[in-house]
Amino acid sequence: MMTPRQRRMMWVALMVAGVSLAAFFALTAFQKNLLYFYTPSQIASGEAPKGYPFRLGGLVVKDSVKREPDSLTVRFEVSDGPNAVPVLYTGILPDLFREGQGIIAVGQIDDGGTFQATEVLAKHDENYMPPEVAESLKKNGQLPADYSEYQKK
């Protein structure tokens, strides 16, 4: 038979264990749902995870958009200046998607080095550039001269 103090200690221990277990499950679920952002240069250097989804950002390379006939499949390249990553996407592209424009794509790298996109996000107006894309372009000296206009919008 347990004394009242032992019963109290058992309840405290069970509550601590329960809270710890709940925190572990919450952090595990949160970690699995994080989508990190990578630039084409980071992907080229091997920093991007294989087999896990992440965000790829950069500019759509001019003359790289190729649409497969009778299909919603589109191939294009995304660049941050020094490096470009081939992207394969099947679906309807946003209305504002075009060559030379900043985009963010969600997906993962396959074994051949092609980014298999599940979602493509285009800038929401003529003068907006995602901050991650602007920072990457700035680091690589590819930022447009009129970037101050991008910041004001």
Side-chain angles (χ1 to χ4, degrees):
M1 189 164 211
M2 293 199 298
T3 65
R5 181 172 184 211
Q6 289 174 326
R7 264 185 285 184
R8 251 192 330 265
M9 292 308 252
M10 183 184 71
W11 281 110
V12 168
L14 285 174
M15 287 197 309
V16 167
V19 169
S20 298
L21 189 62
F24 170 76
F25 285 133
L27 290 174
T28 302
F30 181 70
Q31 181 68 26
K32 286 182 180 178
N33 290 324
L34 281 180
L35 288 177
Y36 293 103
F37 176 86
Y38 292 92
T39 64
S41 292
Q42 290 174 308
I43 292 171
S45 69
E47 294 178 41
K50 296 249 185 207
Y52 290 99
F54 61 90
R55 289 184 178 144
L56 162 69
L59 298 177
V60 178
V61 176
K62 291 191 186 306
D63 300 323
S64 71
V65 178
K66 309 281 188 259
R67 297 177 189 274
E68 292 185 9
D70 301 322
S71 170
L72 293 176
T73 301
V74 180
R75 295 177 184 274
F76 57 94
E77 291 185 359
V78 174
S79 174
D80 63 351
N83 293 292
V85 173
V87 178
L88 177 67
Y89 175 69
T90 301
I92 298 172
L93 289 168
D95 291 337
L96 294 173
F97 177 90
R98 65 181 175 275
E99 294 174 343
Q101 168 192 321
I103 65 139
I104 293 180
V106 178
Q108 56 187 336
I109 292 284
D110 66 13
D111 292 334
T114 299
F115 188 78
Q116 301 285 332
T118 56
E119 184 177 12
V120 174
L121 308 168
K123 60 186 182 180
H124 61 72
D125 72 20
E126 293 295 318
N127 298 313
Y128 175 76
M129 183 179 296
E132 298 92 345
V133 173
E135 183 64 30
S136 173
L137 293 172
K138 183 178 180 183
K139 276 191 345 193
N140 293 310
Q142 300 292 319
L143 193 64
D146 61 347
Y147 179 65
S148 60
E149 291 301 314
Y150 290 106
Q151 289 178 318
K152 291 177 185 173
K153 301 276 176 176

